[in-house]
Amino acid sequence: MTDPILILLQERLSMYREAIEAAKINEDFSKVRRFGRALKTIENLLKSANSGILIKEDDIPPLVKIPKIKSSDKFNCDSMVLDMKQKFCST
């Protein structure tokens, strides 16, 4: 059986990576830095969890809203946005 915390960490890892990519496309570098710090925290928590250390759910960075792609870049990113919606909106 898989630990629910590990699953949550993997989901957040993926979510923050996608949010960073969307923020880069939008050239919103403050979000890139902020999401990057949270991503590093998630990676460290994941390493700890994999080595058997108990992780409190309160220590995991919260859900992140993936930034919308600017309309000028939209034609290049439609498939990426669709993939993000499919991953995070279908439960």
Side-chain angles (χ1 to χ4, degrees):
M1 189 164 141
T2 305
D3 184 6
I5 293 293
L6 285 174
I7 294 170
L8 180 61
L9 287 167
Q10 290 289 350
E11 288 172 352
R12 297 282 166 88
L13 185 73
S14 176
M15 185 182 297
Y16 273 87
R17 284 181 176 156
E18 291 188 35
I20 288 169
E21 290 306 312
K24 283 179 183 177
I25 291 168
N26 286 335
E27 298 179 359
D28 189 346
F29 299 111
S30 64
K31 284 186 181 179
V32 171
R33 285 189 301 276
R34 186 176 45 201
F35 295 156
R37 288 191 300 271
L39 181 66
K40 191 68 168 171
T41 299
I42 294 167
E43 290 170 340
N44 290 333
L45 289 171
L46 195 53
K47 286 179 190 175
S48 296
N50 283 328
S51 66
I53 297 172
L54 292 176
I55 305 296
K56 291 187 261 176
E57 194 169 341
D58 293 342
D59 294 337
I60 300 171
L63 289 170
V64 64
K65 184 176 179 183
I66 297 175
K68 292 182 181 181
I69 306 299
K70 290 181 183 177
S71 60
S72 62
D73 297 324
K74 188 174 180 172
F75 69 95
N76 291 329
C77 303
D78 283 341
S79 63
M80 186 177 84
V81 170
L82 181 60
D83 288 342
M84 286 189 278
K85 285 182 180 177
Q86 289 172 345
K87 280 186 179 178
F88 298 108
C89 295
S90 61
T91 53

